[in-house]
Amino acid sequence: MDSMISVIIPAYNEQESLSVFIPQLVAQLQSEGKYEIIVINDGSSDRTAEVVMEFHDKNPSIHLISLSRNFGAQAALYAGYEKARGACVISLDADMQHPISVIPKMLAKWHQGYDIVYAIRQKSIHLGFFKRLSSYLFHCFFKWLIGTKSDMGTDFRLMSRKAVDALNQSFEASPFLRGAVSYLGFRQCPVYYDEQKRQYGGASRYTLKKMLILAVTAMICFSLKPLHFITFLGILMIVGAGIALLTILGLYFGDNANISGTDIMLSILMLFSGIQMLSLGILGEYIGNISVTVRKRPLYLISESTLEED
Ligand code: UDP
Ligand code: MG
């Protein structure tokens, strides 16, 4: 199994697409050597499983993993990473939006010694305005959250065995692979591709609801910044209210007739709101700490060590 390439494909109601896509993928992979294709059927209600089994009967390198229900593409990919046996694992969508012509480029980078090669969508002329805008905003937000400047890839990526094993070490109750993979480290590099149009099976399987859930997962699982922000806001309000109160009281006792009881009330109100906000922030910080602890992400991952040679 030394140089086998694994390809994992999450599929949710992709019968039309898979029947066209799998033969094309097989042709591409055959020229690269030994391979396995694992389709993770994410609780499809159409003939996705049957289509893959028909391929499997003719070609034992094509495999099917069926999940018990629809868990979402992220969970399906995790299943693929756990079951894949290749020396490297390539993940791509079933809908042919990820061009397989990029695979040789990814493999070339892998041969150069990269552990993670992530594809970045360069042109997306076929995508709707809303999809492009939401994806752009999401990327900016996530980059701010985790404090990185580098571009985040898509779920179209190659990972070496070493990186996959490292990924499989950590348990994620709410999976968000792009975050988990960028957390892994190792030698990473991008490749670029032009997004294809979704040709079969109609609309995107990522509904607005699924997209929002993913964005919230990305936020709460990879950053405590929103919590720090509440704490910061609380401190700011207390300081502001303190200054206002002191000024107003100073003016009041300095016999300034323009100061009314309402002014004093307002600044006291602001002071208490600030204290409440800060208390929320502090509570949040503790909860944040619990959530980090519960995640059990490895504190560090070893890339190479001479200790492991013998
Ligand atoms: N997918 C899945 N489970 C889901 C939603 C999507 O396995 O609940 C798969 C889908 O079949 C496709 C991939 O995830 O192979 C990406 O989905 P889609 O193409 O709908 O997303 P988009 O390209 O719009 O981001
Ligand atoms: Mg798609």
Side-chain angles (χ1 to χ4, degrees):
M1 302 271 168
D2 260 1
S3 60
M4 183 167 78
I5 300 166
S6 296
V7 175
I8 58 174
I9 308 170
Y12 179 50
N13 294 342
E14 302 279 11
Q15 56 177 19
E16 291 102 348
S17 190
L18 282 174
S19 51
V20 183
F21 181 45
I22 291 180
Q24 290 183 12
L25 184 63
V26 166
Q28 175 77 47
L29 292 173
Q30 259 161 358
S31 60
E32 306 287 353
K34 209 164 150 34
Y35 69 92
E36 68 175 2
I37 295 172
I38 304 175
V39 177
I40 304 98
N41 167 26
D42 184 19
S44 302
S45 53
D46 68 353
R47 295 189 68 255
T48 296
E50 285 89 335
V51 168
V52 178
M53 281 314 288
E54 279 161 24
F55 281 112
H56 170 78
D57 291 340
K58 282 178 246 150
N59 179 349
S61 301
I62 298 169
H63 300 275
L64 172 74
I65 298 176
S66 281
L67 305 185
S68 60
R69 61 171 171 84
N70 179 251
F71 282 90
Q74 302 292 304
L77 280 169
Y78 263 99
Y81 281 119
E82 272 187 10
K83 300 297 171 198
R85 296 157 297 176
C88 70
V89 181
I90 298 170
S91 56
L92 42 70
D93 284 359
D95 60 3
M96 300 169 75
Q97 284 189 293
H98 295 155
I100 51 177
S101 54
V102 180
I103 291 178
K105 291 186 210 160
M106 289 181 155
L107 290 170
K109 293 282 183 196
W110 174 53
H111 288 304
Q112 284 170 26
Y114 286 99
D115 290 295
I116 295 166
V117 187
Y118 51 93
I120 291 183
R121 187 159 65 206
Q122 204 167 31
K123 274 198 209 126
S124 46
I125 31 174
H126 302 300
L127 297 183
F129 173 73
F130 179 71
K131 179 90 191 176
R132 267 186 293 169
L133 181 72
S134 59
S135 144
Y136 175 75
L137 290 178
F138 180 72
H139 272 84
C140 293
F141 182 57
F142 191 75
K143 272 158 75 174
W144 172 76
L145 277 181
I146 61 168
T148 171
K149 286 202 169 55
S150 61
D151 274 331
M152 202 178 34
T154 51
D155 274 326
F156 182 17
R157 74 174 74 81
L158 176 148
M159 285 170 75
S160 70
R161 173 51 39 200
K162 191 157 61 178
V164 172
D165 286 345
L167 180 76
N168 289 340
Q169 270 183 35
S170 55
F171 167 77
E172 296 280 347
S174 325
F176 175 59
L177 267 161
R178 276 170 279 171
V181 169
S182 78
Y183 177 85
L184 284 181
F186 298 112
R187 294 190 67 199
Q188 306 204 359
C189 78
V191 288
Y192 297 89
Y193 76 100
D194 296 340
E195 182 102 351
Q196 308 294 306
K197 198 173 177 163
R198 190 180 239 283
Q199 290 177 16
Y200 301 91
S204 163
R205 303 297 186 261
Y206 260 105
T207 52
L208 181 63
K209 187 173 150 212
K210 280 183 186 170
M211 236 149 64
L212 285 177
I213 291 175
L214 195 64
V216 173
T217 304
M219 186 177 87
I220 62 165
C221 293
F222 284 90
S223 177
L224 297 182
K225 267 191 191 165
L227 291 180
H228 300 327
F229 183 68
I230 299 178
T231 313
F232 174 73
L233 216 60
I235 294 174
L236 210 67
M237 277 174 79
I238 291 174
V239 172
I243 294 173
L245 198 59
L246 285 179
T247 319
I248 288 170
L249 285 179
L251 289 173
Y252 185 71
F253 287 113
D255 278 342
N256 192 323
N258 285 334
I259 300 295
S260 68
T262 324
D263 295 328
I264 302 176
M265 279 297 287
L266 270 180
S267 48
I268 290 177
L269 206 68
M270 188 172 151
L271 181 69
F272 280 103
S273 308
I275 291 173
Q276 276 183 6
M277 181 83 82
L278 179 63
S279 315
L280 268 182
I282 293 173
L283 275 180
E285 299 285 344
Y286 280 99
I287 295 173
N289 202 314
I290 295 170
S291 84
V292 171
T293 315
V294 165
R295 258 178 243 147
K296 283 199 192 141
R297 241 173 242 163
L299 265 187
Y300 60 84
L301 292 159
I302 295 173
S303 172
E304 256 135 345
S305 162
T306 52
L307 287 172
E308 285 164 16
E309 275 167 14
D310 44 45

